[in-house]
Amino acid sequence: MQLLRDDLGKLAGKAITDKALRASIAVYNENRRAVRELYAYRAAKPWQAPTSEVYLVLRAGMVLPPEAHTALVRDYLMATDGVERPKRDNARIVLTGSFCEQPPLGLIKSIEMAGCYIVDDDFMLVLRWLLDEVATEGDPLENLSKAFLHHSATTASKFEQRKEEKGQFLLQSAKKAGAEGVIFAAPSFCDPALLERPMLQAVLARYKVPYTAFKYAENTGQMAPIREQAGTFADSIKLWSAA
Amino acid sequence: MRCFIGIDLGSTTTKALVIDEQRNVLGRGITNSRSNYDAAASIAKQEALLNARFHLFREALARSGALNGRLGEFIAQLERDFRLEQFLEQMADLESTCRRNAEGPRFGDAATGVLAALEEVFKRLRAEAPELFAPGAKRKSDFFRDIAGSRYLAIGEAVAKEAAVRYDMLLNVFDRSIIEVENRIYGESIQPHLLAALKRTFRAQPDSASREEAVRAPIQGVLDTPLEETYVVGTGYGRARLPFSKEHIRSEILCHGLGAHVMYPKTATVLDIGGQDTKAIQIDAHGIVESFQMNDRCAAGCGRYLGYIADEMNMGLHELGPLAMKATKTIKINSTCTVFAGAELRDRLSLGDRREDIMAGLHRAIVLRAMSILARSGGVRNEFTFTGGVAKNEAAVKALKDLVKENYGELTLNINPDSIYTGALGGATFAWRAVIEEGMTAEAKK
Amino acid sequence: MSTPVQMMPSQPSKKPVAPVQKEDAMLLQKEMINRNYHELAIAHDQGKKICATFVPGNLNELVMCFDLARSLPETNALQSGLRKKSGKFIMDAERDGHSEDVCTYVKTDLGMMLNGDIGPTGEPLPKPDLLLLSYTGCFTFMKWFELIRQKYGSEAVMLHVPYQGDGRVSKNMRDYVVKQLKETVIPALERVSGVKFDIDRLREYMKESVKAEEDLVHVLHSAKHRPSPIDGYFGAVYYIGPIFTAFRGTPEATQYYRVLRDEIDQRVREGKGPITPEGELTDEKYRLVVEGPPNWTSFRDFWKMFYDEGAVVVASTYAKVGGTYDFGFRHDPEHPLESLAEYCLGCYTNLNFPQRIDMICKYINEYQADGLLINSIKSCNSFSAGQLLILREVEKRTGKPAAFIESDLVDPRYFSAANIKNRLESYFQMIKAKRAAQAAPSATPATMH
């Protein structure tokens, strides 16, 4: 990280001070807090925050300065909370596997149209990578390092030190969001997501969490099969889950 | 006279091209590819040599001045009459083959009925044959199998009803017979057909009849000139199956590259979209291949794709392009798979999109695939030549022009209506080089 | 020169095939491999434990210090491929929930385990007691051992080898690897085996390794001769077998490489080309550098396509996945742990693009190659990502033509002989035409009437 800091400083034309780093950490802490609020809101009232909208709000974070994005997220929350939107009898699911190559918006819409509320996902993990507040006092690099090493999201690209831990992150996120099932949506040829999938499915099976899986590509145009699969899955949850 | 021949065995069509010692193109021949590679190659070659004869007729008659002002009409009529004679011979062959296949225990008691029905079917086929070759007659295809097949099916259905004979039996007979017949080569019949055709032409065009001797002499002169097959080079899919030694075979990449270079000496990049593969070739100033990429694993973005779409839309292949040109916007078709594109097509129609716009989208999808292969092969450099069956499709050409301009700027795009013969031209040129530049002699036929 | 050798009875072949030509060294290495499979089969009965690890970053000398039997799942998979067993294994793994898109070595291994742990030779191949996860540049390795660990409860110990992102090895990186060896890897090996680590034993093994490494490099360099006495791709996969797997550091390996070296030196003296399954290549027409792993399920057919055209591969990158010895690396008994770290960091899979491109360009120039061929493997992201970029860059720098073919490691469904042969033929004809043009610039004006 020090090397990176030095190189970035060279690019910027001036060294990056500890003070600057601490300030930046604070800004991003706030952004992450706002995103967590958004996700919590959506999990509580998914009809008020459809994922096809939430997704766009998050994507904006890839091109806006973090302060502006934080404001945008909160504005959206206020705006949507102020309007009563129709509730549907949808199945609550976690969507996982889309952490790198992003699915087309049409895919997200199709899943929702097919009768699913996406109550948690792993889109744009970068916005939610660090799970807790990063300390703004003390050595900022040390704080960041510790955060990355010990308090960051679990995803397929990581090695799980202890085999007992495999799948627990997904399980916990499903529980926390009140999900009834998991949809695995991975891009074609994605080794991390696709190799990880059978392991996660084994854990879900052990805890009797229903799941289904398919692949997509950035330019997927075939939404009908996805609607069918997601729709059938949502139906099966409604029909066969222990009510 | 010495002739150098190139034969390109494609997945959909087999092409042959003949050049003379001065590398003038004398004739081109094309036939549908089939499982019997040797037959397809022979027939294509024969067609090309035939085409060469007509070319020489035209030259000889022009020199003699016997038909000043009416030469074009005369040759066109002669060709039509010749085709008719050919057709009638093959039809007679088909009839006797069908009769043979209908006899025996296969149809049991129904055999006599089938034979009688066949007699009637072929009587009608013979009677209507001249119409098929009348001036201005439109056909979906020029291949015997296609013409005979579609007419037989239509007439057969009517006769089956009238004669109370089972239609499927008539179909069965046809299916079994056509394979035999289409692989027969009527090499010895060229002269008699031409002379018989000449008689018909004189009848059809009385003005020419009055100058019969002046016309007949140059034609006979050409007929009497032997066209020596000095060297033949084969290329394309089935080339390994050709009865040629390794010396007579060249990869289609090299043939396409050289053929394009002969047509357009300044060409640097060649794109060939064939029936089921796509080739992107970079060549240098001498027509030698520098690099290439092929899509030979999947027919998406190739001629088959269009064929499949045509079937889905119940249209002729040649109608797709004109339809697409009427689009007012391009619908984005995402499927990279031919089969799924069909599903997407139906999806779109049900959503209310216009056929024209969807067609435009499908054409653009083909070209996008080609752009990807071009990029992988080293990009599009000036001049850019587009060959292959799909190059005859104006909508594909338009999409290509637009995408090349977007990505590479203004370049010269070369398109030739005879580009389907590019591979065969390259092969013929290799044949010429082998003899004239390298002093080789053709090996004895096996 | 023939060396008397204790031969294992040969495996009965299922299909009568043209007699394959073999040399002494070839028989030696086949015998070594079969013997190792036998040792693995009886290991547990003899109270021995089994350690599985990967070819890139295989710490064979270290593992031997603990009297552990060594299993290399990649070579198990390719052996299954060579023996036409991988197709079924892959389909079974896919039925068990694995994607069509992922590495076929992994699926072959998992499929083998689903089919009762019978190894490529027909003897049992018991599940390993320890998975030594040397993570050297191939992400898939990580998931491979996680999968085995999860399904079968095996213990896994991770050795994280940092990627050479900047194209060099820093002290930091080396220290990081050594630290892991000391704090995690060696203690785990001790615990599982019950044997205490003796660094001097490691030194002895390494001394032996160096001898073999010297001879291997000598053999690889022999391809610089014209004609080349070896095939640096198809032939080389046999040569690298012992040194990349369970034998580096053993006297048997040293003997093998000595025998091999002598055989190859003899071929150089006699001006002979390589021996192939179809016979000796007597007329060397094309010299190629190949990037990418070979196809194993149609190995012989694939090699024959080269043989038929008189094409020899003079150098390949795949032959360096288990260590870049020809670029100077030798195990150093004086600094054993640092040396192990250095070894892992330098494996081909751990190099960045510029390094890979430099290596290929160097090979093309030093081995006087006519061009580059890339065999792009459908299921291998590690090799495939960026191969087109490599192709363009190498063409630009060397001016030599490059060709691109596609196949797979061990999935027989992804080898299309007709397409590959077509592309290869076109490529060779291209080179031939270029040569002819360079020899006599064409004076024929190209015109069409």
Side-chain angles (χ1 to χ4, degrees), chain B residues 23-24 239 251-253 261 265 288-290 292 294 296-297 376-378 437, chain C residues 388 392 395 404 406 419 422-423 425-426 429-430 433 437 444-446 448-449:
Chain B
R23 297 173 64 210
N24 299 314
R239 66 180 183 269
S251 94
E252 69 254 41
I253 300 286
H261 174 74
I288 296 182
V289 176
E290 290 182 329
F292 66 92
M294 285 179 80
D296 48 9
R297 303 170 71 91
R376 287 165 53 160
S377 77
E437 285 182 355
Chain C
L388 280 170
R392 286 279 94 76
E395 272 187 333
F404 192 82
E406 298 165 274
N419 289 346
N422 192 18
R423 293 192 197 184
E425 276 180 7
S426 302
Q429 286 179 17
M430 197 168 106
T444 322
M448 174 168 114
H449 300 267

mmCIF file of all heavy atoms in Angstrom, chain B residues 23-24 239 251-253 261 265 288-290 292 294 296-297 376-378 437, chain C residues 388 392 395 404 406 419 422-423 425-426 429-430 433 437 444-446 448-449:
data_model
loop_
_atom_site.group_PDB
_atom_site.id
_atom_site.type_symbol
_atom_site.label_atom_id
_atom_site.label_comp_id
_atom_site.label_asym_id
_atom_site.label_seq_id
_atom_site.Cartn_x
_atom_site.Cartn_y
_atom_site.Cartn_z
ATOM 1 N N ARG B 23 -3.835 -15.165 -68.198
ATOM 2 C CA ARG B 23 -4.552 -14.946 -66.943
ATOM 3 C C ARG B 23 -5.852 -14.175 -67.125
ATOM 4 O O ARG B 23 -6.325 -13.507 -66.206
ATOM 5 C CB ARG B 23 -3.650 -14.289 -65.899
ATOM 6 C CG ARG B 23 -2.486 -15.212 -65.567
ATOM 7 C CD ARG B 23 -1.455 -14.585 -64.685
ATOM 8 N NE ARG B 23 -2.036 -14.268 -63.402
ATOM 9 C CZ ARG B 23 -1.662 -13.270 -62.640
ATOM 10 N NH1 ARG B 23 -0.692 -12.485 -63.028
ATOM 11 N NH2 ARG B 23 -2.251 -13.044 -61.488
ATOM 12 N N ASN B 24 -6.438 -14.263 -68.324
ATOM 13 C CA ASN B 24 -7.791 -13.739 -68.492
ATOM 14 C C ASN B 24 -8.752 -14.772 -67.946
ATOM 15 O O ASN B 24 -8.563 -15.969 -68.154
ATOM 16 C CB ASN B 24 -8.117 -13.542 -69.973
ATOM 17 C CG ASN B 24 -7.177 -12.547 -70.608
ATOM 18 O OD1 ASN B 24 -6.922 -11.489 -70.060
ATOM 19 N ND2 ASN B 24 -6.646 -12.899 -71.773
ATOM 20 N N ARG B 239 -11.183 -30.351 -49.767
ATOM 21 C CA ARG B 239 -10.026 -30.500 -50.658
ATOM 22 C C ARG B 239 -9.214 -31.751 -50.382
ATOM 23 O O ARG B 239 -8.626 -32.325 -51.288
ATOM 24 C CB ARG B 239 -9.137 -29.266 -50.580
ATOM 25 C CG ARG B 239 -8.471 -29.057 -49.236
ATOM 26 C CD ARG B 239 -7.624 -27.799 -49.279
ATOM 27 N NE ARG B 239 -6.910 -27.602 -48.033
ATOM 28 C CZ ARG B 239 -7.389 -26.910 -47.012
ATOM 29 N NH1 ARG B 239 -8.578 -26.375 -47.089
ATOM 30 N NH2 ARG B 239 -6.684 -26.754 -45.915
ATOM 31 N N SER B 251 -4.467 -24.234 -49.201
ATOM 32 C CA SER B 251 -5.445 -23.874 -48.171
ATOM 33 C C SER B 251 -6.326 -22.736 -48.676
ATOM 34 O O SER B 251 -5.886 -21.893 -49.468
ATOM 35 C CB SER B 251 -4.729 -23.435 -46.898
ATOM 36 O OG SER B 251 -4.585 -22.042 -46.877
ATOM 37 N N GLU B 252 -7.552 -22.711 -48.200
ATOM 38 C CA GLU B 252 -8.476 -21.670 -48.691
ATOM 39 C C GLU B 252 -8.069 -20.282 -48.233
ATOM 40 O O GLU B 252 -8.455 -19.285 -48.849
ATOM 41 C CB GLU B 252 -9.921 -21.966 -48.282
ATOM 42 C CG GLU B 252 -10.200 -21.849 -46.815
ATOM 43 C CD GLU B 252 -10.367 -23.198 -46.199
ATOM 44 O OE1 GLU B 252 -9.604 -24.094 -46.564
ATOM 45 O OE2 GLU B 252 -11.255 -23.348 -45.341
ATOM 46 N N ILE B 253 -7.289 -20.230 -47.174
ATOM 47 C CA ILE B 253 -6.804 -18.917 -46.738
ATOM 48 C C ILE B 253 -5.905 -18.321 -47.808
ATOM 49 O O ILE B 253 -6.056 -17.165 -48.214
ATOM 50 C CB ILE B 253 -6.011 -19.046 -45.418
ATOM 51 C CG1 ILE B 253 -6.875 -19.619 -44.307
ATOM 52 C CG2 ILE B 253 -5.405 -17.722 -45.032
ATOM 53 C CD1 ILE B 253 -7.887 -18.659 -43.755
ATOM 54 N N HIS B 261 -6.307 -10.428 -54.049
ATOM 55 C CA HIS B 261 -5.200 -9.609 -54.543
ATOM 56 C C HIS B 261 -5.269 -9.460 -56.051
ATOM 57 O O HIS B 261 -4.996 -8.382 -56.606
ATOM 58 C CB HIS B 261 -3.886 -10.252 -54.111
ATOM 59 C CG HIS B 261 -2.671 -9.603 -54.666
ATOM 60 N ND1 HIS B 261 -2.192 -8.392 -54.213
ATOM 61 C CD2 HIS B 261 -1.839 -9.987 -55.664
ATOM 62 C CE1 HIS B 261 -1.115 -8.068 -54.903
ATOM 63 N NE2 HIS B 261 -0.883 -9.012 -55.784
ATOM 64 N N PRO B 265 -5.466 -5.369 -56.598
ATOM 65 C CA PRO B 265 -4.043 -5.459 -56.250
ATOM 66 C C PRO B 265 -3.630 -4.653 -55.023
ATOM 67 O O PRO B 265 -2.606 -4.949 -54.422
ATOM 68 C CB PRO B 265 -3.346 -4.927 -57.504
ATOM 69 C CG PRO B 265 -4.304 -5.153 -58.610
ATOM 70 C CD PRO B 265 -5.669 -5.005 -58.020
ATOM 71 N N ILE B 288 0.565 -12.232 -50.587
ATOM 72 C CA ILE B 288 0.935 -13.308 -49.670
ATOM 73 C C ILE B 288 0.322 -13.025 -48.303
ATOM 74 O O ILE B 288 0.332 -11.896 -47.824
ATOM 75 C CB ILE B 288 2.464 -13.412 -49.559
ATOM 76 C CG1 ILE B 288 3.017 -13.813 -50.926
ATOM 77 C CG2 ILE B 288 2.852 -14.439 -48.506
ATOM 78 C CD1 ILE B 288 4.488 -14.001 -50.945
ATOM 79 N N VAL B 289 -0.199 -14.065 -47.693
ATOM 80 C CA VAL B 289 -0.906 -13.920 -46.419
ATOM 81 C C VAL B 289 0.082 -13.585 -45.301
ATOM 82 O O VAL B 289 1.104 -14.234 -45.149
ATOM 83 C CB VAL B 289 -1.656 -15.222 -46.080
ATOM 84 C CG1 VAL B 289 -2.322 -15.129 -44.719
ATOM 85 C CG2 VAL B 289 -2.701 -15.508 -47.146
ATOM 86 N N GLU B 290 -0.272 -12.557 -44.511
ATOM 87 C CA GLU B 290 0.581 -12.192 -43.377
ATOM 88 C C GLU B 290 0.032 -12.735 -42.073
ATOM 89 O O GLU B 290 0.773 -13.126 -41.187
ATOM 90 C CB GLU B 290 0.667 -10.665 -43.263
ATOM 91 C CG GLU B 290 1.449 -10.020 -44.382
ATOM 92 C CD GLU B 290 1.540 -8.524 -44.193
ATOM 93 O OE1 GLU B 290 0.601 -7.936 -43.612
ATOM 94 O OE2 GLU B 290 2.548 -7.949 -44.606
ATOM 95 N N PHE B 292 -3.976 -14.425 -40.288
ATOM 96 C CA PHE B 292 -5.381 -14.727 -40.521
ATOM 97 C C PHE B 292 -6.040 -15.182 -39.231
ATOM 98 O O PHE B 292 -5.379 -15.644 -38.305
ATOM 99 C CB PHE B 292 -5.551 -15.799 -41.605
ATOM 100 C CG PHE B 292 -5.022 -17.153 -41.208
ATOM 101 C CD1 PHE B 292 -5.844 -18.097 -40.603
ATOM 102 C CD2 PHE B 292 -3.703 -17.490 -41.432
ATOM 103 C CE1 PHE B 292 -5.357 -19.344 -40.237
ATOM 104 C CE2 PHE B 292 -3.203 -18.733 -41.077
ATOM 105 C CZ PHE B 292 -4.034 -19.661 -40.479
ATOM 106 N N MET B 294 -9.783 -17.320 -38.165
ATOM 107 C CA MET B 294 -10.970 -17.964 -38.705
ATOM 108 C C MET B 294 -11.992 -18.184 -37.612
ATOM 109 O O MET B 294 -11.624 -18.523 -36.486
ATOM 110 C CB MET B 294 -10.627 -19.351 -39.243
ATOM 111 C CG MET B 294 -9.898 -19.330 -40.550
ATOM 112 S SD MET B 294 -9.544 -21.006 -41.051
ATOM 113 C CE MET B 294 -11.107 -21.472 -41.725
ATOM 114 N N ASP B 296 -14.346 -20.956 -37.331
ATOM 115 C CA ASP B 296 -14.784 -22.185 -37.989
ATOM 116 C C ASP B 296 -15.444 -23.125 -37.006
ATOM 117 O O ASP B 296 -15.615 -24.293 -37.261
ATOM 118 C CB ASP B 296 -13.583 -22.871 -38.656
ATOM 119 C CG ASP B 296 -12.401 -22.960 -37.716
ATOM 120 O OD1 ASP B 296 -12.557 -22.664 -36.516
ATOM 121 O OD2 ASP B 296 -11.311 -23.318 -38.183
ATOM 122 N N ARG B 297 -15.824 -22.576 -35.834
ATOM 123 C CA ARG B 297 -16.407 -23.433 -34.813
ATOM 124 C C ARG B 297 -17.909 -23.259 -34.714
ATOM 125 O O ARG B 297 -18.588 -24.035 -34.097
ATOM 126 C CB ARG B 297 -15.806 -23.092 -33.452
ATOM 127 C CG ARG B 297 -14.316 -23.208 -33.414
ATOM 128 C CD ARG B 297 -13.812 -22.625 -32.131
ATOM 129 N NE ARG B 297 -14.157 -23.478 -31.019
ATOM 130 C CZ ARG B 297 -13.387 -24.445 -30.552
ATOM 131 N NH1 ARG B 297 -12.238 -24.668 -31.096
ATOM 132 N NH2 ARG B 297 -13.773 -25.176 -29.537
ATOM 133 N N ARG B 376 -9.237 -9.293 -34.379
ATOM 134 C CA ARG B 376 -8.309 -10.308 -33.894
ATOM 135 C C ARG B 376 -7.234 -10.626 -34.921
ATOM 136 O O ARG B 376 -6.139 -11.044 -34.575
ATOM 137 C CB ARG B 376 -9.071 -11.576 -33.526
ATOM 138 C CG ARG B 376 -9.856 -11.429 -32.261
ATOM 139 C CD ARG B 376 -10.859 -12.522 -32.118
ATOM 140 N NE ARG B 376 -10.228 -13.818 -32.249
ATOM 141 C CZ ARG B 376 -10.747 -14.945 -31.808
ATOM 142 N NH1 ARG B 376 -11.902 -14.922 -31.213
ATOM 143 N NH2 ARG B 376 -10.124 -16.081 -31.992
ATOM 144 N N SER B 377 -7.557 -10.441 -36.189
ATOM 145 C CA SER B 377 -6.571 -10.808 -37.209
ATOM 146 C C SER B 377 -5.586 -9.678 -37.455
ATOM 147 O O SER B 377 -4.616 -9.854 -38.173
ATOM 148 C CB SER B 377 -7.274 -11.139 -38.527
ATOM 149 O OG SER B 377 -7.675 -9.945 -39.178
ATOM 150 N N GLY B 378 -5.827 -8.507 -36.879
ATOM 151 C CA GLY B 378 -4.905 -7.393 -37.073
ATOM 152 C C GLY B 378 -5.590 -6.129 -37.543
ATOM 153 O O GLY B 378 -4.937 -5.176 -37.932
ATOM 154 N N GLU B 437 5.400 -20.168 -63.803
ATOM 155 C CA GLU B 437 6.526 -19.629 -63.034
ATOM 156 C C GLU B 437 7.417 -20.709 -62.450
ATOM 157 O O GLU B 437 8.610 -20.510 -62.293
ATOM 158 C CB GLU B 437 6.010 -18.719 -61.914
ATOM 159 C CG GLU B 437 5.527 -17.375 -62.431
ATOM 160 C CD GLU B 437 5.072 -16.457 -61.305
ATOM 161 O OE1 GLU B 437 5.050 -16.904 -60.132
ATOM 162 O OE2 GLU B 437 4.711 -15.314 -61.597
ATOM 163 N N LEU C 388 -4.192 -13.196 -27.362
ATOM 164 C CA LEU C 388 -4.220 -12.452 -28.628
ATOM 165 C C LEU C 388 -3.314 -11.234 -28.554
ATOM 166 O O LEU C 388 -2.670 -10.859 -29.532
ATOM 167 C CB LEU C 388 -5.652 -12.028 -28.963
ATOM 168 C CG LEU C 388 -6.499 -13.140 -29.586
ATOM 169 C CD1 LEU C 388 -7.948 -12.714 -29.668
ATOM 170 C CD2 LEU C 388 -5.983 -13.490 -30.964
ATOM 171 N N ARG C 392 -0.165 -10.451 -31.090
ATOM 172 C CA ARG C 392 0.050 -9.205 -31.843
ATOM 173 C C ARG C 392 1.412 -8.613 -31.513
ATOM 174 O O ARG C 392 2.154 -8.158 -32.384
ATOM 175 C CB ARG C 392 -1.025 -8.173 -31.500
ATOM 176 C CG ARG C 392 -2.375 -8.439 -32.089
ATOM 177 C CD ARG C 392 -2.487 -7.998 -33.547
ATOM 178 N NE ARG C 392 -2.207 -9.031 -34.519
ATOM 179 C CZ ARG C 392 -3.033 -10.006 -34.826
ATOM 180 N NH1 ARG C 392 -4.210 -10.083 -34.257
ATOM 181 N NH2 ARG C 392 -2.703 -10.916 -35.703
ATOM 182 N N GLU C 395 4.313 -10.646 -32.984
ATOM 183 C CA GLU C 395 4.403 -10.413 -34.436
ATOM 184 C C GLU C 395 5.070 -9.082 -34.707
ATOM 185 O O GLU C 395 5.922 -8.956 -35.600
ATOM 186 C CB GLU C 395 2.998 -10.389 -35.055
ATOM 187 C CG GLU C 395 2.490 -11.749 -35.468
ATOM 188 C CD GLU C 395 1.162 -11.664 -36.225
ATOM 189 O OE1 GLU C 395 0.401 -10.710 -36.003
ATOM 190 O OE2 GLU C 395 0.911 -12.572 -37.030
ATOM 191 N N PHE C 404 -3.068 -19.037 -34.546
ATOM 192 C CA PHE C 404 -3.884 -19.188 -33.340
ATOM 193 C C PHE C 404 -4.829 -20.361 -33.528
ATOM 194 O O PHE C 404 -5.636 -20.349 -34.442
ATOM 195 C CB PHE C 404 -4.685 -17.891 -33.171
ATOM 196 C CG PHE C 404 -5.350 -17.741 -31.853
ATOM 197 C CD1 PHE C 404 -4.637 -17.282 -30.760
ATOM 198 C CD2 PHE C 404 -6.697 -18.027 -31.694
ATOM 199 C CE1 PHE C 404 -5.248 -17.109 -29.527
ATOM 200 C CE2 PHE C 404 -7.317 -17.867 -30.466
ATOM 201 C CZ PHE C 404 -6.595 -17.398 -29.382
ATOM 202 N N GLU C 406 -7.383 -23.388 -31.405
ATOM 203 C CA GLU C 406 -8.122 -23.528 -30.157
ATOM 204 C C GLU C 406 -8.442 -24.982 -29.885
ATOM 205 O O GLU C 406 -8.873 -25.699 -30.783
ATOM 206 C CB GLU C 406 -9.414 -22.710 -30.242
ATOM 207 C CG GLU C 406 -9.149 -21.223 -30.414
ATOM 208 C CD GLU C 406 -10.377 -20.458 -30.851
ATOM 209 O OE1 GLU C 406 -10.654 -20.372 -32.051
ATOM 210 O OE2 GLU C 406 -11.072 -19.932 -29.963
ATOM 211 N N ASN C 419 -10.713 -28.730 -38.008
ATOM 212 C CA ASN C 419 -10.461 -27.289 -37.945
ATOM 213 C C ASN C 419 -9.005 -26.980 -37.634
ATOM 214 O O ASN C 419 -8.400 -26.087 -38.213
ATOM 215 C CB ASN C 419 -11.355 -26.654 -36.874
ATOM 216 C CG ASN C 419 -12.801 -26.627 -37.312
ATOM 217 O OD1 ASN C 419 -13.097 -26.833 -38.472
ATOM 218 N ND2 ASN C 419 -13.691 -26.399 -36.377
ATOM 219 N N ASN C 422 -6.797 -27.695 -40.555
ATOM 220 C CA ASN C 422 -7.009 -26.665 -41.560
ATOM 221 C C ASN C 422 -6.191 -25.417 -41.238
ATOM 222 O O ASN C 422 -5.489 -24.876 -42.102
ATOM 223 C CB ASN C 422 -8.507 -26.326 -41.613
ATOM 224 C CG ASN C 422 -8.855 -25.489 -42.814
ATOM 225 O OD1 ASN C 422 -8.099 -25.412 -43.779
ATOM 226 N ND2 ASN C 422 -9.999 -24.839 -42.758
ATOM 227 N N ARG C 423 -6.268 -24.979 -39.980
ATOM 228 C CA ARG C 423 -5.528 -23.773 -39.609
ATOM 229 C C ARG C 423 -4.029 -24.006 -39.664
ATOM 230 O O ARG C 423 -3.257 -23.134 -40.097
ATOM 231 C CB ARG C 423 -5.919 -23.328 -38.204
ATOM 232 C CG ARG C 423 -7.345 -22.842 -38.120
ATOM 233 C CD ARG C 423 -7.593 -22.142 -36.811
ATOM 234 N NE ARG C 423 -9.002 -22.019 -36.525
ATOM 235 C CZ ARG C 423 -9.511 -21.384 -35.486
ATOM 236 N NH1 ARG C 423 -8.688 -20.809 -34.627
ATOM 237 N NH2 ARG C 423 -10.796 -21.315 -35.287
ATOM 238 N N GLU C 425 -2.378 -26.187 -41.554
ATOM 239 C CA GLU C 425 -1.956 -26.264 -42.957
ATOM 240 C C GLU C 425 -1.848 -24.881 -43.563
ATOM 241 O O GLU C 425 -0.886 -24.556 -44.252
ATOM 242 C CB GLU C 425 -2.961 -27.090 -43.769
ATOM 243 C CG GLU C 425 -2.717 -28.564 -43.689
ATOM 244 C CD GLU C 425 -3.724 -29.357 -44.514
ATOM 245 O OE1 GLU C 425 -4.512 -28.747 -45.248
ATOM 246 O OE2 GLU C 425 -3.680 -30.589 -44.401
ATOM 247 N N SER C 426 -2.884 -24.046 -43.294
ATOM 248 C CA SER C 426 -2.861 -22.687 -43.831
ATOM 249 C C SER C 426 -1.634 -21.946 -43.315
ATOM 250 O O SER C 426 -0.967 -21.224 -44.058
ATOM 251 C CB SER C 426 -4.123 -21.933 -43.420
ATOM 252 O OG SER C 426 -5.264 -22.608 -43.867
ATOM 253 N N GLN C 429 1.576 -23.230 -44.992
ATOM 254 C CA GLN C 429 1.642 -22.760 -46.388
ATOM 255 C C GLN C 429 1.978 -21.274 -46.436
ATOM 256 O O GLN C 429 2.651 -20.799 -47.351
ATOM 257 C CB GLN C 429 0.311 -23.024 -47.093
ATOM 258 C CG GLN C 429 0.117 -24.488 -47.427
ATOM 259 C CD GLN C 429 -1.204 -24.752 -48.106
ATOM 260 O OE1 GLN C 429 -1.847 -23.842 -48.609
ATOM 261 N NE2 GLN C 429 -1.606 -25.997 -48.118
ATOM 262 N N MET C 430 1.479 -20.550 -45.418
ATOM 263 C CA MET C 430 1.754 -19.123 -45.333
ATOM 264 C C MET C 430 3.250 -18.884 -45.170
ATOM 265 O O MET C 430 3.854 -18.046 -45.842
ATOM 266 C CB MET C 430 1.018 -18.590 -44.109
ATOM 267 C CG MET C 430 0.825 -17.135 -44.044
ATOM 268 S SD MET C 430 -0.351 -16.815 -42.716
ATOM 269 C CE MET C 430 0.722 -16.172 -41.475
ATOM 270 N N ALA C 433 5.063 -19.689 -48.363
ATOM 271 C CA ALA C 433 4.887 -18.651 -49.379
ATOM 272 C C ALA C 433 5.752 -17.438 -49.054
ATOM 273 O O ALA C 433 6.366 -16.846 -49.940
ATOM 274 C CB ALA C 433 3.420 -18.257 -49.463
ATOM 275 N N ALA C 437 8.742 -15.856 -51.344
ATOM 276 C CA ALA C 437 8.715 -14.446 -51.749
ATOM 277 C C ALA C 437 9.998 -13.742 -51.350
ATOM 278 O O ALA C 437 10.526 -12.924 -52.100
ATOM 279 C CB ALA C 437 7.521 -13.754 -51.099
ATOM 280 N N THR C 444 5.579 -10.823 -61.085
ATOM 281 C CA THR C 444 4.335 -10.914 -61.858
ATOM 282 C C THR C 444 3.377 -9.807 -61.464
ATOM 283 O O THR C 444 2.980 -9.725 -60.318
ATOM 284 C CB THR C 444 3.641 -12.255 -61.554
ATOM 285 O OG1 THR C 444 4.629 -13.260 -61.434
ATOM 286 C CG2 THR C 444 2.654 -12.603 -62.641
ATOM 287 N N PRO C 445 3.028 -8.968 -62.413
ATOM 288 C CA PRO C 445 2.029 -7.937 -62.077
ATOM 289 C C PRO C 445 0.683 -8.622 -61.945
ATOM 290 O O PRO C 445 0.341 -9.479 -62.748
ATOM 291 C CB PRO C 445 2.058 -6.999 -63.266
ATOM 292 C CG PRO C 445 2.636 -7.792 -64.394
ATOM 293 C CD PRO C 445 3.415 -8.926 -63.834
ATOM 294 N N ALA C 446 -0.048 -8.256 -60.939
ATOM 295 C CA ALA C 446 -1.327 -8.931 -60.709
ATOM 296 C C ALA C 446 -2.436 -8.137 -61.362
ATOM 297 O O ALA C 446 -2.659 -6.989 -61.041
ATOM 298 C CB ALA C 446 -1.573 -9.036 -59.213
ATOM 299 N N MET C 448 -6.522 -8.542 -63.357
ATOM 300 C CA MET C 448 -7.616 -9.430 -63.742
ATOM 301 C C MET C 448 -8.382 -8.782 -64.875
ATOM 302 O O MET C 448 -8.673 -7.599 -64.838
ATOM 303 C CB MET C 448 -8.555 -9.660 -62.562
ATOM 304 C CG MET C 448 -9.769 -10.462 -62.979
ATOM 305 S SD MET C 448 -10.701 -11.052 -61.578
ATOM 306 C CE MET C 448 -12.180 -10.143 -61.788
ATOM 307 N N HIS C 449 -8.691 -9.583 -65.884
ATOM 308 C CA HIS C 449 -9.413 -9.017 -67.021
ATOM 309 C C HIS C 449 -10.891 -9.356 -66.923
ATOM 310 O O HIS C 449 -11.238 -10.455 -66.583
ATOM 311 C CB HIS C 449 -8.843 -9.575 -68.325
ATOM 312 C CG HIS C 449 -7.383 -9.230 -68.455
ATOM 313 N ND1 HIS C 449 -6.947 -8.119 -69.112
ATOM 314 C CD2 HIS C 449 -6.275 -9.812 -67.961
ATOM 315 C CE1 HIS C 449 -5.619 -8.046 -69.051
ATOM 316 N NE2 HIS C 449 -5.182 -9.072 -68.345
#
